[in-house]
Amino acid sequence: MKKNLLHILSLLLVMLMGTTLTAKADSYKVAPMTAGKVTVSPNDEFVNAPINLVNYGTNPVKQITYTLYDFDTQESSEPQTIDFETPFDNTQQVLIPIKPGKTLGKSDVIFNVTEVDGHPNETSITYTYIERWTVLQAAKKRVVFEDVTGLWCQYCPRGIAIMESLERLYPDDFIGISIHDGDALATNAYSSILSSTWSNTNRPLIMCARDEKVNTHDGQSNFKYELDKTASFDISVKAAYDGKDINVTANVLPCLDVEEGTEYDVAYVLTADGLKNDNWGQANRVGEWNDQVLPEYDRFKGNESTIYGLEFNQVAIDSRGVQYGVEGSLTRPYTVGTTQTHKVTFENISQHKLIQDKSKLNVCALIIKKVTNGDKIKATIENAAKCRVDVGETGIKQVDNEGANEVTGYYSLDGQRLNAPAKGITIVRYADGTTRKVRN
């Protein structure tokens, strides 16, 4: 009897110890990742700074409490609480409202996670710096995708679908350039990069801002991540055809101070939309796209290993300084608020036999950021702008007036094809390849 009682007491003690150990094992750890730059004008009430949180604790996080320390005012905010409708196990992005600084220029703000689910934050580094720039004008950010593709490449319909879907969904924020390699649509526009940086890569090679590869079937994560970055320069571009040449003018406005040792120049790419030839057959990976929901994949679904009758858009025809920018197109000092203007010419456009309709030509102006490390230069795209070439009365082939503005489709903001415009915002696609958001 005595032994049984001792045994029961031992079991109870083990259970109590296990409960105690389990309670002690719970931890509350959330670390904010580097926030990067945000720009805000003196007239803004606030801007949202996107910050990624990482949960290193033992349980899904339902709530955090944070404070902001403003180096400009040397004041700390009252604690603010964020409740998550869906608790997160790994990572979660939050948008933190940041007010403008008292003076123009850079002044940091510290974002500090003080509590997690009502408990003190136990992670080793609870804070991150938000690089706030108070500026008179913030740069309009646009994201460039460059798709190295080919008619012979059976996996390249992925690039076509990604590029056209992003242009449809984000017509004001996305710029696509299609670089054909080894087929009937190939040109010399990107020969310098194809023979060096991209020489030993598979096709399709889809690059976002020349900084990272796109490995998904919609490109959304790459696009949104890049769009959230703050550009140091704003840029606009105009182009006009004079009957022989295309004359291009780019205006570049420095909006933020840039690091010493980082150089910037402007590159230019002439692209064409609406290219079509009955003999052009796009190789197609049969069945590869059947589970894709973007409507741009629909034409590639089924049993055809070669697709004819496609219209190719965003095709690179010619370029100036495409790899590192036109040397001297931007000069130091890059003075914030002082516009720099640069001009180039695409000579004798008739030499490019691939062009079918001069009214469907575009010029993309890319701000190339160059960071030198030893004898290597890393070149990425900081920002960009795109315009239609103004052909005036001199275009050799004008758009058919009866079909130029014909509506070819209606889409919702999430890419679903509609039978007619819906209440709210509808994306309208026209026969010339352009899109427009319409509110009903």
Side-chain angles (χ1 to χ4, degrees):
M1 182 75 176
K2 193 172 183 179
K3 285 184 178 179
N4 289 338
L5 182 61
L6 288 173
H7 181 66
I8 292 170
L9 288 172
S10 298
L11 289 174
L12 288 172
L13 181 61
V14 169
M15 291 174 64
L16 287 171
M17 288 178 66
T19 303
T20 303
L21 289 172
T22 301
K24 286 184 178 178
D26 285 344
S27 59
Y28 303 89
K29 301 179 179 180
V30 169
M33 305 304 288
T34 303
K37 300 177 183 177
V38 295
T39 55
V40 56
S41 80
N43 297 324
D44 292 330
E45 182 181 356
F46 64 86
V47 295
N48 286 320
I51 299 177
N52 290 320
L53 306 176
V54 181
N55 178 13
Y56 292 112
T58 56
N59 303 312
V61 174
K62 302 175 183 177
Q63 181 190 82
I64 66 164
T65 300
Y66 72 90
T67 60
L68 296 173
Y69 180 79
D70 192 325
F71 276 90
D72 201 358
T73 62
Q74 298 186 359
E75 295 177 350
S76 186
S77 71
E78 293 294 322
Q80 302 292 321
T81 298
I82 299 177
D83 294 303
F84 299 102
E85 186 175 341
T86 303
F88 69 96
D89 288 304
N90 300 312
T91 61
Q92 176 72 39
Q93 186 180 86
V94 291
L95 299 176
I96 304 302
I98 303 297
K99 295 179 180 179
K102 286 190 171 183
T103 58
L104 296 179
K106 176 178 175 292
S107 57
D108 291 340
V109 176
I110 295 179
F111 170 76
N112 184 31
V113 180
T114 58
E115 294 184 1
V116 179
D117 289 335
H119 299 267
N121 189 4
E122 300 168 350
T123 195
S124 56
I125 301 178
T126 63
Y127 63 90
T128 188
Y129 284 82
I130 300 171
E131 189 177 320
R132 174 187 60 191
W133 286 84
T134 304
V135 297
L136 292 177
Q137 177 177 329
K140 164 64 179 174
K141 176 74 174 181
R142 301 177 188 88
V143 179
V144 176
F145 274 34
E146 294 166 300
D147 174 28
V148 184
T149 183
L151 296 176
W152 48 269
C153 168
Q154 60 184 344
Y155 291 101
C156 285
R158 179 172 74 94
I160 296 173
I162 288 174
M163 300 275 276
E164 294 196 352
S165 67
L166 289 174
E167 187 173 66
R168 169 176 57 81
L169 293 170
Y170 309 101
D172 298 328
D173 306 319
F174 173 77
I175 295 174
I177 301 174
S178 180
I179 303 116
H180 282 256
D181 184 18
D183 66 10
L185 287 86
T187 68
N188 292 324
Y190 271 72
S191 59
S192 60
I193 306 180
L194 291 176
S195 63
S196 57
T197 309
W198 297 340
S199 60
N200 296 315
T201 54
N202 295 326
R203 306 293 187 256
L205 169 66
I206 309 168
M207 294 297 297
C208 174
R210 269 188 227 170
D211 198 25
E212 55 182 16
K213 294 181 182 179
V214 178
N215 293 317
T216 63
H217 281 82
D218 61 12
Q220 290 276 348
S221 58
N222 301 87
F223 170 79
K224 291 178 179 178
Y225 177 77
E226 183 66 25
L227 189 64
D228 282 339
K229 294 181 181 179
T230 298
S232 298
F233 296 83
D234 196 27
I235 182 170
S236 63
V237 62
K238 292 183 179 180
Y241 176 60
D242 64 9
K244 180 183 177 184
D245 306 328
I246 293 177
N247 301 300
V248 183
T249 301
N251 288 313
V252 178
L253 177 68
C255 295
L256 305 176
D257 289 333
V258 298
E259 297 175 0
E260 286 295 329
T262 303
E263 300 297 327
Y264 297 85
D265 275 309
V266 186
Y268 302 87
V269 183
L270 177 67
T271 66
D273 294 334
L275 301 183
K276 194 171 182 179
N277 188 307
D278 291 339
N279 295 321
W280 294 344
Q282 174 65 57
N284 183 44
R285 181 74 172 179
V286 173
E288 182 77 16
W289 328 109
N290 287 342
D291 60 346
Q292 299 303 318
V293 298
L294 289 174
E296 284 77 12
Y297 279 103
D298 290 349
R299 68 198 122 164
F300 302 113
K301 296 178 180 179
N303 299 314
E304 293 183 78
S305 60
T306 304
I307 309 293
Y308 290 92
L310 295 178
E311 186 175 279
F312 295 89
N313 299 309
Q314 311 158 337
V315 177
I317 301 295
D318 200 356
S319 68
R320 296 289 181 271
V322 71
Q323 188 163 14
Y324 298 117
V326 177
E327 187 175 356
S329 51
L330 294 179
T331 58
R332 282 191 176 272
Y334 311 124
T335 304
V336 172
T338 301
T339 298
Q340 295 193 31
T341 298
H342 185 253
K343 298 183 179 183
V344 296
T345 300
F346 289 99
E347 299 90 356
N348 189 22
I349 297 307
S350 61
Q351 68 178 302
H352 301 291
K353 304 304 180 184
L354 193 60
I355 296 174
Q356 296 177 352
D357 187 342
K358 289 183 172 62
S359 68
K360 295 183 180 181
L361 293 175
N362 317 286
V363 170
C364 307
L366 320 176
I367 297 181
I368 306 296
K369 176 182 179 181
K370 296 171 287 186
V371 178
T372 302
N373 184 7
D375 59 350
K376 294 184 179 180
I377 300 175
K378 181 180 180 180
T380 55
I381 300 175
E382 172 82 3
N383 205 357
K386 177 181 176 181
C387 70
R388 275 285 199 202
V389 175
D390 181 5
V391 297
E393 300 297 325
T394 58
I396 291 177
K397 178 182 176 183
Q398 299 298 324
V399 179
D400 179 5
N401 290 330
E402 295 181 359
N405 295 320
E406 180 183 351
V407 175
T408 58
Y410 300 101
Y411 298 89
S412 64
L413 288 175
D414 62 358
Q416 298 299 311
R417 192 178 182 95
L418 307 173
N419 293 324
K423 187 175 181 180
I425 297 177
T426 299
I427 297 173
V428 183
R429 189 176 184 89
Y430 296 93
D432 64 358
T434 60
T435 59
R436 187 162 63 95
K437 290 182 180 179
V438 175
R439 183 182 294 275
N440 295 312

